[in-house]
Amino acid sequence: MALNALEQQALVEINPSQAKPFRLTDYLRLVRAASVVLFVVLWEYFGRQVNPLFLSYPSAIVKACVQLLIAGEFQRQAIGSLGIYAVGLGAALVLGILLGLLMGRYRLAEYLLDPYVYALDATPRVALIPLLLLWFGLGAPAKIAVVFLSGIFPVLMNTFSGVRTVSGGLVDVGRAYGAGEGKIFTKIIMPAALPFIMAGVRLGVGRALIGIITAEMFTAVTGMGALLIRYSSAMATDKFFVPVIFLALLGVILSGAVEALQRRLAPWKETERAL
Amino acid sequence: MLEVRHLSKVFFEQNDPQKPGLIALYDISLSVRRNEFVCLLGPSGCGKTTLIRIIAGLLPADRGEVLVNGNPVTSPGRDRCMVFQQFGLLPWRTVLGNVEFGLEIEGMGREERRDISRQYLELVGLKGFEDYYPHQISGGMQQRVGIARALSKKPDILLMDEPFGAVDAQTREQLQEELLKIWAKTDTTVIFVTHSIDESIYLSDRVVIMHSRPGRIKEEVAVELPRPRWEGDVKADPRFAQLRARVRESLRE
Ligand SMILES: Nc1ncnc2c1ncn2[C@@H]1O[C@H](COP(=O)(O)OP(=O)(O)OP(=O)(O)O)[C@@H](O)[C@H]1O
Ligand SMILES: [Mg+2]
């Protein structure tokens, strides 16, 4: 709303933008950027003094990266990994949210499913990889299964607890205004639980990434994980860092994307935040 | 129009669903005519919200029944609308989105329900706040959003649970007048919960006084003051003072 005449007048008097002393906390982005630059410079300087069998340094890594890109090897493996990742993660998100909603809303579904959910969630996923390889072989299906199992539980658990925290009062509002079970889900429960669901998605995205790399390191045939094994056994630390940095960036970008999506979908949470 | 017959409700202990914790309502009977304005008045915890939720169809009764036009109430219906004591706004919707909610559920088109919602927001004095989120406006404003939402559905029966509890005295008077005007124009039946003796007398045709443990109806006081009551000073009428004394006496016993 626009300020009215009296408020305008008061504003002139208050002059709120005045008198702000210099504070480093006003330049947080700059601080972050400077920190990264400093780190890279230090790494370059000290990295050059270490035996390249053990550690590489940024300029060498960039060179190796260009080489790998020209050879085309890196892209091929990356695309392979990403495809498997997308399929496994997609399935994990869809099923995780669906089961989470059902278990959160219906006691029956909860008691029917929670033994398996808790047991599987508590089992370290790596422990299951040998079995999955036995079942599905060394190809894509086994890896998709690993990604799926890595990604689904954080999504499911968060959705579940999100739905459980939706107050009966809000559901009553829906019912009082004539919403049936379907509309209660789409117009009350889903939006109310959305921040929880998105937190779960963010976790799941990261876990699934760990899943795909672990699976590929086990099979060591194709994908980013295989490259990591190959370059490290060849002691090519400069090449080794290429997939590592790629994965780090991928992780950051994905979680940033999820956060941006959350902000778009749940703007009310943004304004509600105290800091 | 609305018949409440021998209604009883027991709440059980949280940690022991076998153990009765509280008789919230005991043998409540109440009959409300079409276009009547009834106020429920009673001490905190006497079961007013519980009664109104059962009438709304949000809560099942243990004994007795509620009839609307002769049909038993088992679930919420479009003939009844509720203004919640705790406002009941959806935090992820803007003020406008919240008012639209009821019409949206009904399946009304976007443009039409926007127009109607804007009208009702203006009516409750919230023009200009359409795009705010509930947590960005004051409690009294939130309450008015809840009122606009209920009014926009034009229900036959309007259930209002302390709808003016969180607004300041001036706004309260304005809203009381607006409510009476809307009520006079339509043939809405209103059940209105309040803690204020003056409010109950000013608004209603009949004040239903409840007491607690167990929640029962103690007395009904007919209010035969002339309408419209917003013209002139009804509260200065000697009959108003008599009614006030009588209701106060009944609450005190
Ligand atoms: N879901 C519930 N479970 C258990 N007890 C409940 C529940 N809802 C209400 N009660 C109890 O029933 C009694 C009546 O509650 P109710 O909310 O109807 O009171 P009220 O008359 O609306 O009070 P107030 O004026 O403070 O709003 C209270 O003692 C309350 O503790
Ligand atoms: Mg109450």
Side-chain angles (χ1 to χ4, degrees):
Chain A
M1 268 182 108
L3 298 181
N4 66 28
L6 283 176
E7 283 173 324
Q8 291 281 9
Q9 222 172 340
L11 187 69
V12 173
E13 210 171 296
I14 301 166
N15 198 3
S17 57
Q18 220 183 30
K20 269 197 182 161
F22 174 82
R23 280 181 317 189
L24 212 48
T25 47
D26 290 337
Y27 302 93
L28 291 174
R29 280 161 189 279
L30 218 63
V31 171
R32 181 196 281 152
S35 159
V36 171
V37 170
L38 187 69
F39 175 78
V40 171
V41 168
L42 288 177
W43 185 7
E44 180 78 29
Y45 178 73
F46 289 105
R48 280 170 182 273
Q49 308 181 9
V50 179
N51 185 334
L53 287 181
F54 299 113
L55 183 66
S56 193
Y57 45 90
S59 59
I61 295 168
V62 171
K63 223 180 280 167
C65 176
V66 172
Q67 272 174 19
L68 289 177
L69 286 179
I70 289 171
E73 171 71 355
F74 185 77
Q75 296 92 305
R76 210 171 39 248
Q77 302 295 2
I79 288 172
S81 291
L82 286 178
I84 288 170
Y85 176 71
V87 173
L89 180 63
L93 295 185
V94 170
L95 217 69
I97 292 176
L98 207 73
L99 289 180
L101 287 174
L102 289 178
M103 285 174 61
R105 179 95 176 117
Y106 303 112
R107 278 282 149 117
L108 211 60
E110 182 190 345
Y111 281 76
L112 213 62
L113 295 174
D114 73 359
Y116 315 108
V117 169
Y118 284 113
L120 268 174
D121 184 43
T123 316
R125 242 69 60 191
V126 218
L128 299 175
I129 293 181
L131 184 67
L132 292 170
L133 291 179
L134 210 61
W135 286 353
F136 298 110
L138 293 180
K143 294 177 193 168
I144 291 177
V146 176
V147 173
F148 173 77
L149 285 176
S150 307
I152 187 170
F153 293 105
V155 182
L156 197 161
M157 294 298 214
N158 270 276
T159 305
F160 172 65
S161 50
V163 173
R164 290 294 294 277
T165 56
V166 177
S167 75
L170 286 181
V171 175
D172 270 359
V173 172
R175 290 177 52 212
Y177 281 89
E181 192 60 20
K183 289 206 168 144
I184 295 275
F185 255 111
T186 55
K187 296 200 186 280
I188 305 281
I189 291 182
M190 300 248 289
L194 191 72
F196 285 82
I197 299 177
M198 291 309 283
V201 168
R202 210 169 145 191
L203 271 177
V205 162
R207 297 274 181 82
L209 197 60
I210 298 174
I212 177 87
I213 300 306
T214 321
E216 287 173 347
M217 286 172 76
F218 256 86
T219 55
V221 183
T222 53
M224 294 279 100
L227 288 183
L228 288 171
I229 297 281
R230 195 184 307 165
Y231 297 146
S232 65
S233 23
M235 303 214 171
T237 45
D238 52 350
K239 286 183 184 162
F240 178 82
F241 272 104
V242 175
V244 169
I245 292 173
F246 173 77
L247 289 170
L249 285 178
L250 187 66
V252 170
I253 290 171
L254 284 173
S255 103
V258 175
E259 207 176 331
L261 185 69
Q262 165 160 16
R263 231 170 323 191
R264 256 193 75 103
L265 292 178
W268 81 95
K269 276 288 164 194
E270 205 46 39
T271 39
E272 209 170 48
R273 239 167 42 176
L275 272 170
Chain B
M1 169 83 209
L2 176 72
E3 277 274 332
V4 176
R5 283 198 194 144
H6 305 294
L7 205 68
S8 297
K9 177 73 190 176
V10 179
F11 283 118
F12 289 83
E13 295 277 338
Q14 191 88 61
N15 39 20
D16 183 2
Q18 304 299 324
K19 194 171 154 213
L22 177 107
I23 315 269
L25 297 174
Y26 177 54
D27 197 24
I28 301 272
S29 291
L30 181 68
S31 149
V32 182
R33 295 185 309 276
R34 175 175 298 280
N35 203 17
E36 194 177 12
F37 199 126
V38 173
C39 275
L40 293 178
L41 191 65
S44 186
C46 70
K48 304 181 293 293
T49 298
T50 306
L51 175 57
I52 215 167
R53 286 185 67 211
I54 294 175
I55 296 174
L58 291 172
L59 193 71
D62 290 307
R63 277 267 176 283
E65 57 182 353
V66 176
L67 302 173
V68 173
N69 295 323
N71 303 313
V73 164
T74 51
S75 63
R78 29 172 328 174
D79 48 358
R80 283 152 289 143
C81 254
M82 175 123 170
V83 177
F84 292 85
Q85 189 171 6
Q86 322 285 357
F87 320 148
L89 301 188
L90 310 177
W92 56 89
R93 284 178 175 244
T94 60
V95 164
L96 186 65
N98 264 289
V99 179
E100 276 181 65
F101 181 71
L103 301 170
E104 186 180 322
I105 294 286
E106 233 175 59
M108 182 184 285
R110 194 187 176 87
E111 292 305 316
E112 194 182 355
R113 65 175 194 248
R114 290 239 149 133
D115 278 354
I116 295 178
S117 302
R118 278 182 214 282
Q119 283 167 27
Y120 280 95
L121 275 176
E122 190 167 355
L123 186 75
V124 296
L126 285 180
K127 195 176 158 68
F129 289 94
E130 287 86 351
D131 297 327
Y132 282 59
Y133 284 97
H135 66 91
Q136 294 172 315
I137 59 177
S138 71
M141 289 158 87
Q142 293 185 31
Q143 200 156 43
R144 283 181 273 156
V145 176
I147 295 168
R149 177 176 62 188
L151 292 177
S152 73
K153 290 261 284 187
K154 298 202 170 123
D156 295 342
I157 300 175
L158 190 54
L159 305 167
M160 306 182 86
D161 196 355
E162 295 189 37
F164 305 150
V167 301
D168 61 274
Q170 271 116 318
T171 313
R172 191 174 184 138
E173 273 182 26
Q174 268 173 26
L175 288 174
Q176 286 172 349
E177 190 176 322
E178 279 310 328
L179 178 63
L180 285 181
K181 282 180 179 163
I182 290 168
W183 172 74
K185 264 188 284 186
T186 57
D187 62 352
T188 312
T189 308
V190 182
I191 313 263
F192 187 106
V193 174
T194 175
H195 273 141
S196 156
I197 297 175
D198 277 24
E199 183 169 70
S200 70
I201 299 171
Y202 177 67
L203 293 175
S204 73
D205 296 318
R206 183 152 50 115
V207 181
V208 174
I209 298 163
M210 293 177 67
H211 70 172
S212 53
R213 322 283 328 242
R216 303 200 61 168
I217 290 179
K218 174 190 265 176
E219 193 182 357
E220 297 187 4
V221 177
V223 179
E224 276 147 358
L225 295 171
R227 294 189 188 265
R229 294 192 186 147
W230 59 86
E231 279 162 18
D233 195 356
V234 189
K235 289 181 187 167
D237 191 311
R239 283 175 294 179
F240 195 97
Q242 280 167 12
L243 284 167
R244 183 196 284 141
R246 170 136 182 247
V247 171
R248 181 172 291 147
E249 195 54 40
S250 172
L251 274 173
R252 193 172 290 158
E253 281 160 15

